[in-house]
Amino acid sequence: MVGVLALQGDFSAHRQALAERGLVSCEVRKPQHLEGLTGLVLPGGESTTMLKLLDAFGLQQPLVEAITAGLPVLATCAGIILLAEEVRHPSQPSLGLLRVAVERNAYGRQLASTVAQLQVTDELPTPSLEGVFIRAPRVVRVGEGVKVLATRGEDPVLVRQGAILAATFHPELSPASPVVALFADMVRRKS
Ligand code: GLN
């Protein structure tokens, strides 16, 4: 069972994308919803609001513990902002579990949101990949042990650190995304 953090944001689109890959999911709103999960999705949305809700629902520490214990995670857009060890422009606290620095809203405002063709590295078993960017963050620093799986121009947009797969775009909004497929693979290997 894959849990999808469902405090705010596009969690329904993630559940749909997981179902298309044959993965059963549930919505995570309380610490007890994390029990027995085989994977976890941190969706896009508004990271500042999500942080406040994580705090209000007492989810912050249980999430950190579950992810630190090696639960496979797919984090997208606001999700990568939640996990980053450093968040800039404006800076805000984060869970600090992914060794990257991100700059919020770095590609401009809503009007500058776009679908871009990405460059993939050998780590991703697909020749082409598109990325749906919605008020996306930019990864401005990649730390040790973080592999870059795809770039948009010079910018890393899909990274992996152990069991954490994180994108600055929205793979759940692209039909049959190889990123969701890779996550499904990570979940199946682990369970
Ligand atoms: N701009 C949002 C933030 O800073 C992220 C946007 C998204 O998740 N699509 O939290």
Side-chain angles (χ1 to χ4, degrees), residues 44-47 77-78 81 104-105 134-135 170:
E46 220 292 318
S47 56
C77 206
I81 300 172
R104 295 176 65 201
N105 303 318
I134 305 171
R135 297 183 66 231
H170 285 266

Side-chain angles (χ1 to χ4, degrees), residues 5 7 28-35 49-66 95:
L5 184 67
L7 299 176
V28 171
R29 291 195 182 86
K30 294 179 177 175
Q32 56 265 41
H33 297 161
L34 291 168
E35 280 162 29
T49 310
M50 281 190 201
L51 270 178
K52 284 185 187 149
L53 292 170
L54 281 180
D55 203 37
F57 284 65
L59 262 170
Q60 193 146 330
Q61 196 50 32
L63 267 189
V64 169
E65 281 165 20
L95 302 183

Side-chain angles (χ1 to χ4, degrees), residues 127-142:
S128 75
L129 184 68
E130 67 164 33
V132 177
F133 291 85
I134 305 171
R135 297 183 66 231
R138 174 182 280 136
V139 173
V140 290
R141 178 170 55 76
V142 172

